[in-house]
Amino acid sequence: MTAIEVRSVAAPELGERVILAIDTSLGTSVAVGAGGRVVEVSCDDPRGHAEVIGALIARAFAEIRIPAASVTHVVAGMGPGPFTGLRVGIAAAHAFALGRGLSILPLVSHDAVALEQLEAGAPAGIRVVQDAKRRELFVTEYTGLDWAGAPARRAEPHLRQRESYESVVNEVWPDRVPAASLVRLAARRLASGAPFEPDQALYLRLPDVMQPKAPKPVTP
């Protein structure tokens, strides 16, 4: 198994909420926030999402030392991301929420990257870029933080052809999506009353495996 990384960040915006966030759009990242802090457990293996997701969830709860039954909200990173990897995290979030009788809080995964960058001092107008394979890129552009402290998008997630892509000064290519920032974003949206995203994965293109077409009719 690829090495697992654990980190803890402050999250005063949590209040009394206990939030679980899961993202498998780029690597696998799980975070649990409670009591003013978030513990994030991540693995950068680009293919082993299904193999590690259960262990990462268990590790996150063990690290923050609270029971899974205390979760009040479940967040799913909706991408953009590849079909196979992305659906693992979304399915895991839905399964956990169903077991607790909770609704899913969907968020754009790149928003978490943008939040971390902007709060670390990146100038306004950053661009998040992710390798989408097939000579394509997933790209989302931001103007800065909005009134609720969430990244404001100038351009929604979209595909670009790598060969014609032109870099900009304020772009970031993340190694993973930080689930801890998904927790903090969800807490801010809940506190401000801002809406969440549609519960729909941002694949941005058809999956590699296509359903077979109907057979042609046989003519006499």
Side-chain angles (χ1 to χ4, degrees):
M1 180 187 294
T2 304
I4 292 175
E5 181 177 324
V6 180
R7 66 170 183 150
S8 178
V9 300
E13 58 268 77
L14 274 169
E16 298 301 315
R17 305 175 189 91
V18 179
I19 301 178
L20 166 69
I22 300 173
D23 191 282
T24 54
S25 63
L26 184 61
T28 305
S29 186
V30 174
V32 179
R37 74 184 182 108
V38 185
V39 169
E40 178 187 278
V41 185
S42 301
C43 175
D44 289 339
D45 187 343
R47 298 179 181 277
H49 310 285
E51 289 77 9
V52 302
I53 188 68
L56 295 190
I57 292 172
R59 177 75 178 272
F61 282 110
E63 291 285 342
I64 203 167
R65 298 181 181 179
I66 61 171
S70 63
V71 169
T72 59
H73 300 84
V74 180
V75 180
M78 307 307 288
F83 180 82
T84 302
L86 185 56
R87 65 180 178 176
V88 171
I90 295 174
H94 272 276
F96 189 99
L98 180 63
R100 294 281 299 122
L102 302 171
S103 299
I104 285 288
L105 303 179
L107 289 173
V108 171
S109 300
H110 283 183
D111 285 5
V113 178
L115 176 65
E116 202 159 88
Q117 293 294 317
L118 290 165
E119 289 195 331
I126 69 167
R127 177 187 292 175
V128 178
V129 186
Q130 178 182 341
D131 185 4
K133 309 303 181 184
R134 294 198 230 165
R135 301 179 182 176
E136 294 176 319
L137 303 170
F138 296 126
V139 178
T140 313
E141 299 179 29
Y142 298 86
T143 57
L145 296 176
D146 65 15
W147 63 273
R153 291 178 224 120
R154 179 172 58 199
E156 295 297 314
H158 56 281
L159 273 177
R160 294 217 190 155
Q161 297 298 316
R162 182 184 283 273
E163 59 190 25
S164 60
Y165 176 74
E166 295 183 5
S167 296
V168 296
V169 175
N170 299 331
E171 70 180 23
V172 56
W173 294 64
D175 294 322
R176 70 170 73 106
V177 169
S181 290
L182 288 177
V183 169
R184 298 179 61 222
L185 278 172
R188 293 181 185 189
R189 290 203 181 193
L190 289 166
S192 66
F196 285 80
E197 307 298 329
D199 189 4
Q200 183 175 356
L202 295 172
Y203 297 128
L204 302 186
R205 67 183 179 204
L206 294 174
D208 292 326
V209 178
M210 302 293 294
Q211 293 294 327
K213 296 181 179 179
K216 293 181 179 180
V218 177
T219 55

